[in-house]
Amino acid sequence: MASEHVAQVVPRSMSIARLPMSLLQVPATMIVFAGVTVLFANSFWLSAATAAVALSLSVVGLAILYGQLGLVSLCQFALVGVGGWVALRVGHAFHPPFEISLLAGGIVASIVGLVFGIPALRLRGLYLALVTLMLAGAFQIVISAWGFPDGGPGFLGRADGSGRAMLPRPDLAQGAVAYFVYVCVAATVGLMIAQWHKLAKPGRAWALIRKGETVAISSGVSVLVFKAWAFALSGFLAGLSGALLADNVGQLDGRAFGAFESLNLFALAIVGGVYNWYGALIAGLLLRALPALLTDLGIDGYVTIGIFGVALFHALATAPAGIAGQIAGIVARVRIRIMGGRAP
Amino acid sequence: MIAIDNLVVQFGGVKPINQLTATLTAPVAGLIGPNGAGKTTLLNVLSGFVRPVQGSVALNGNGLLEMTPLQRVRAGLRRSFQTEQVVEDLTVADNLAAIADHIVPSPQRAEAVDRALAFIGLRPVADKLGQSLNLFQRRLVELGKCVIGKPSLILLDEPAAGLTDEEGGALRELVLRIPTEFSAQVLVIDHDVELIRAMCSETMVLDYGKLLALGPTETVLADPDVRRAYLGEL
Ligand SMILES: Nc1ncnc2c1ncn2[C@@H]1O[C@H](COP(=O)(O)OP(=O)(O)OP(=O)(O)O)[C@@H](O)[C@H]1O
Ligand SMILES: [Mg+2]
């Protein structure tokens, strides 16, 4: 009797121990990725890879909204802009350690993301997409009028012509390689926070909401709280992304934050895959490394839009879990084949 | 004890529940009636997803209708759905944890999940994903969710639908253990009269929103009105 009891308890304790184990996939993969990039990339590629990794944080936020809750938010790149704006503003005004500016960008974008998400508490599907796209359009208008702070006076912090300043890189990451590693570390932390959410209590609550709000409420889930939390988290990750992008070159260009960029980000999130964390990294690379590759080959950058369009069509038609989902499928099949040799 | 008094539910022109007054005291009570009789609607009123236009409902003396659906869950109300609602990409243990997260204090959560797993006998598949479960296992997971926390009233909407006789029998044995092991009252909807007969000491029959009969199951099932309206006898 006693031994039977022990044997029965084992699966339960295993599933609890598995939580941190599967989280370790994130740093393990990021270390390999960062190592390979540092070994092989020249300065042009390093800058593109830095931007790609930074952007992957904003994509993982979208992946939570869409992959976990089925919510289509088309203003994520605007939130990247908000994070970048705040980080630059705080950085130029108070010259704190960059980590402070980074967190400030994340927190303010999180609050703005929460406000942008309010319509989502009532709207779904197409209506939510339209409202968030309009918010992205509004941000486009504001940011092209304001521009990003560059060391000038006043609230907007704009310097006219002379006296323009770059935001200095973090003390411990002055060089291009060091800053790339810095961004990889920050992104790893952000990706792990997101992944923990998916595997723990918030992820289970989101899964129930996805199943149906009646089902979720019957399980004691406060639907409003967990939806709002998803928007705040997604905004936070977008804000970090914006701050890291801002410090890559020390400034941001207001013209780069049009509403189209938010649409593009959403499309690429789907192509990369919203159900596996590394889909965000793939999307980031597609967004920044693919154009860099084409530039390197002397092909016009606009071709990427066509490529993205075809990739999106492919994903929607045949691979709803994106490239990451296809990779996960291959890994699972290989694992079954290896295990299959040992099975009875 | 569930005390329903003069309850009226209206959807546009139809009244799926019409001036219903009934008191259910049995540890496991049954609710039967033809399709569209208003059974699920009554469960929705009890769990708070449908607002009646009139009447009152009390659970063990406390007014239910004043509470939000969420407050009712925290007060111990549990329900399953006519179509099972197991989350496909969560494990069995996580499907149970998903409810424990919100109604069991964190130090006792793992224990509550484990107790439910042991009750439904799904410990061996605790780490299997919902999508890999068969219908019987899914119905068991739904039952397991209902016993988590401190349930006071468990509402089961056709918990044995689609199961074989053998599986339905196993489910019945579990339901019968609930009142003593979890000190909760159970209200079961089912079309299978034999299952109701074996499980419920008290049964209520609804017919197009009206109370047709209520009392000890054997008496109710022998009632000529019930046999005519529900069992299709002339
Ligand atoms: N939300 C709603 N809006 C309008 N009418 C509804 C709604 N829900 C249920 N009804 C109607 O109320 C009546 C009772 O439905 P209910 O689902 O309670 O029946 P039931 O007894 O559970 O039937 P079944 O045995 O088929 O599950 C039906 O005529 C149904 O069409
Ligand atoms: Mg029904």
Side-chain angles (χ1 to χ4, degrees):
Chain A
M1 258 335 252
S3 66
E4 188 187 320
H5 184 72
V6 171
Q8 278 181 341
V9 172
V10 168
R12 200 51 222 131
S13 49
M14 249 168 54
S15 85
I16 289 169
R18 194 176 298 157
L19 188 73
M21 282 306 288
S22 74
L23 266 184
L24 291 181
Q25 275 181 14
V26 181
T29 312
M30 290 302 286
I31 286 170
V32 173
F33 168 77
V36 170
T37 309
V38 168
L39 274 181
F40 294 104
N42 59 23
S43 67
F44 170 78
W45 279 102
L46 206 58
S47 173
T50 305
V53 174
L55 265 182
S56 69
L57 273 178
S58 66
V59 178
V60 87
L62 271 182
I64 284 178
L65 290 177
Y66 186 64
Q68 298 287 297
L69 288 168
L71 296 169
V72 177
S73 167
L74 298 180
C75 60
Q76 189 75 345
F77 207 68
L79 294 173
V80 172
V82 169
W85 193 92
V86 170
L88 288 169
R89 193 72 206 88
V90 169
H92 285 304
F94 307 110
H95 308 288
F98 175 68
E99 290 73 24
I100 303 288
S101 313
L102 176 67
L103 271 183
I107 289 167
V108 174
S110 165
I111 294 166
V112 175
L114 191 56
V115 173
F116 280 14
I118 286 174
L121 305 176
R122 292 277 160 262
L123 301 177
R124 289 186 67 89
L126 183 61
Y127 296 106
L128 177 64
L130 285 175
V131 169
T132 51
L133 187 59
M134 282 179 198
L135 288 169
F139 182 80
Q140 174 178 350
I141 293 167
V142 170
I143 203 65
S144 42
W146 287 11
F148 284 92
D150 53 6
F155 173 73
L156 294 183
R158 294 302 301 277
D160 290 318
S162 62
R164 296 187 61 193
M166 298 288 192
L167 189 68
R169 280 188 175 158
D171 291 335
L172 58 137
Q174 290 289 322
V177 172
Y179 189 66
F180 170 71
V181 172
Y182 183 94
V183 170
C184 283
V185 171
T188 303
V189 173
L191 290 169
M192 283 176 80
I193 291 174
Q195 186 68 0
W196 176 82
H197 272 82
K198 287 207 265 177
L199 298 174
K201 174 174 171 174
R204 292 191 285 265
W206 293 333
L208 284 169
I209 295 173
R210 203 156 67 223
K211 196 81 194 169
E213 296 199 357
T214 313
V215 178
I217 294 168
S218 302
S219 298
V221 175
S222 173
V223 174
L224 209 69
V225 168
F226 281 92
K227 272 193 179 175
W229 184 249
F231 274 99
L233 177 64
S234 173
F236 179 71
L237 294 166
L240 294 185
S241 169
L244 291 169
L245 279 179
D247 220 19
N248 191 19
V249 281
Q251 62 182 17
L252 289 171
D253 182 353
R255 288 165 299 180
F257 286 83
F260 177 76
E261 297 305 323
S262 281
L263 266 177
N264 208 17
L265 198 69
F266 184 80
L268 266 289
I270 291 182
V271 172
V274 293
Y275 304 109
N276 302 82
W277 71 268
Y278 45 91
L281 187 62
I282 294 169
L285 288 171
L286 288 172
L287 276 160
R288 284 297 176 266
L290 187 65
L293 176 69
L294 294 179
T295 310
D296 216 21
L297 298 174
I299 300 170
D300 189 290
Y302 285 108
V303 172
T304 49
I305 296 177
I307 295 178
F308 289 169
V310 172
L312 178 64
F313 182 77
H314 171 73
L316 291 176
T318 64
I323 297 172
Q326 292 182 315
I327 292 176
I330 293 170
V331 170
R333 245 172 284 145
V334 169
R335 190 174 292 169
I336 286 171
R337 189 159 303 172
I338 294 170
M339 305 269 259
R342 271 188 270 137
Chain B
M1 185 181 83
I2 313 165
I4 301 165
D5 186 39
N6 196 24
L7 195 69
V8 179
V9 172
Q10 187 155 7
F11 294 131
V14 290
K15 288 184 177 167
I17 293 181
N18 200 353
Q19 298 183 327
L20 177 68
T21 299
T23 302
L24 295 162
T25 53
V28 181
L31 172 54
I32 61 174
N35 291 109
K39 305 182 294 296
T40 299
T41 304
L42 181 59
L43 246 56
N44 284 336
V45 170
L46 294 174
S47 48
F49 298 111
V50 165
R51 283 198 157 279
V53 292
Q54 185 188 315
S56 70
V57 180
L59 173 60
N60 301 326
N62 304 315
L64 263 191
L65 301 184
E66 296 75 39
M67 290 192 256
T68 65
L70 218 48
Q71 286 169 332
R72 297 181 206 199
V73 176
R74 292 185 188 131
L77 193 136
R78 304 280 180 274
R79 72 168 292 179
S80 72
F81 293 84
Q82 198 162 343
T83 46
E84 54 82 20
Q85 299 290 342
V86 172
V87 180
E88 310 285 347
D89 54 351
L90 289 184
T91 63
V92 170
D94 274 348
N95 265 285
L96 298 172
I99 178 167
D101 281 338
H102 307 279
I103 52 178
V104 180
S106 58
Q108 289 119 51
R109 242 171 244 164
E111 195 195 321
V113 169
D114 194 50
R115 187 175 174 213
L117 276 174
F119 176 66
I120 56 178
L122 289 190
R123 262 180 178 162
V125 293
D127 292 320
K128 286 258 174 1
L129 288 180
Q131 64 198 24
S132 69
L133 302 181
N134 62 36
L135 182 64
F136 181 46
Q137 291 170 318
R138 285 162 187 265
R139 295 283 186 194
L140 289 175
V141 170
E142 297 263 276
L143 192 66
K145 286 181 72 175
C146 288
V147 299
I148 284 196
K150 290 195 174 64
S152 53
L153 174 62
I154 297 177
L155 308 169
L156 301 174
D157 199 345
E158 305 195 20
L163 301 186
T164 64
D165 287 350
E166 200 177 323
E167 292 166 342
L171 195 91
R172 180 190 69 211
E173 293 311 312
L174 287 177
V175 170
L176 283 171
R177 282 166 57 192
I178 289 178
T180 45
E181 288 184 33
F182 298 93
S183 44
Q185 189 181 2
V186 185
L187 177 60
V188 193
I189 297 179
D190 214 294
H191 281 290
D192 182 347
V193 174
E194 290 317 310
L195 193 73
I196 291 289
R197 197 193 297 275
M199 208 162 30
C200 311
S201 50
E202 179 181 51
T203 295
M204 166 157 95
V205 187
L206 281 183
D207 191 21
Y208 299 101
K210 292 276 190 193
L211 182 68
L212 192 65
L214 170 61
T217 303
E218 286 307 329
T219 321
V220 165
L221 292 180
D223 185 315
D225 282 347
V226 173
R227 301 190 76 84
R228 201 177 315 118
Y230 184 51
L231 303 177
E233 288 181 12
L234 288 171

